[in-house]
Amino acid sequence: MTIEEFQNKFGIIGRSKEIRDLVDISMQVAKSEVSVLIYGESGVGKEIFANAIHGYSNRAEKPLVSVNCGAIPEGILESELFGHRKGAFTSAVENRKGYFEIADGGTLFLDEIAEMPLTTQVKLLRVLETQQFMRLGAETVTKVSVRIIAATNKDLQTEVAAKRFREDLYFRLKAVTLNLPPLRSRKADIEILANNFLRNYTEVNKTGVFIIDKDAFHLLKEYHWPGNIRELKNVVETAAALSRSSILDASAFESIITFNFPEEENRNLPIYLKKTAEEVDRELLYRALFEIKKDLVELKDLVYNSRREVFSNGFPSPEQVVPLNELAKEAIKNAIYAAKGNKRAAAKLLQISERTLYRKIKEYGL
């Protein structure tokens, strides 16, 4: 099976070198029995790679059981993993298999492994070493054959140093490590990912075909994507759902994604306000109006500075007076040309925010 065939079969989208290298490693380790540790921020596709490794392994005919260690309360995680006998605790009204038994012969995917309590880590390590365990309340040992794939968005070495994760378990899990890059580090894949999500959206919702234009793709590639691929999928689907046109331009995405510039980094942090809902709404409205005023002031300053020489030799004649919008339009065109089409660089040259630039581009039909 080629890399392309592997990607198509298991839904791994991307043509960047980073993704192709990860696919190549995944294909190599899939046929072995070694544990795999997958690193990556939330939303980068850790579970997709886990599914691919299992699906290409010799255990593919057996189940892949996924467990989110951070979503199960500490008090019942051990019971969920190893099962229990009837009467082991108050609510244990019948015998119950745990995830290890359910995954017997297959693969157990432990997502958010860093959230696992230290007491459970000890028992997990023993199972990994012996492939056997005891259900809660049981007196006999249960043997299983399970391959482990673990994933985390935390640095486990840091967790080990902070005594929040066992070092021996860490070394047992990291036989092979995959580091999935965040979307902002593989922007070459944004276009193919977005088009794929858009195609799936139209198929599921039985809508017409949507097309994302060049400026919109430029905007998407300039965005930081803290939520990674999952966020991109949601943004594309939301833009399609709200659009009245089959062409998704930059304006279709501007209201969905927010660029946080350094000076505004902490402006939108949630805090408790001793205000009524009406007062908060009024304040938000005032802030929006202030932003609009700020944009106008920026453009006026820009026009004044760019045309200051016109007035340096006395009063201009009526023929020399150029409408304000024409000056702004010309300045924006010159900045985009000077920045070779890079909107962020053009915004910096104009000393305005990128959001203002996109709004003006749409307003002037550039």
Side-chain angles (χ1 to χ4, degrees), residues 18-38:
E18 295 93 334
I19 291 301
R20 292 178 63 85
D21 288 347
L22 287 167
V23 169
D24 187 35
I25 295 171
S26 299
M27 293 175 68
Q28 291 181 52
V29 303
K31 298 296 184 182
S32 70
E33 291 295 308
V34 298
S35 300
V36 179
L37 179 60
I38 305 175

Side-chain angles (χ1 to χ4, degrees), residues 14-15 176-177 199 217 231 236 242 269 275 313 333 347:
R15 299 195 187 104
V176 174
T177 301
R199 184 167 55 252
F217 272 126
E231 184 183 8
V236 168
L242 298 177
L269 290 176
K275 298 179 181 179
N313 297 320
K333 287 168 63 177

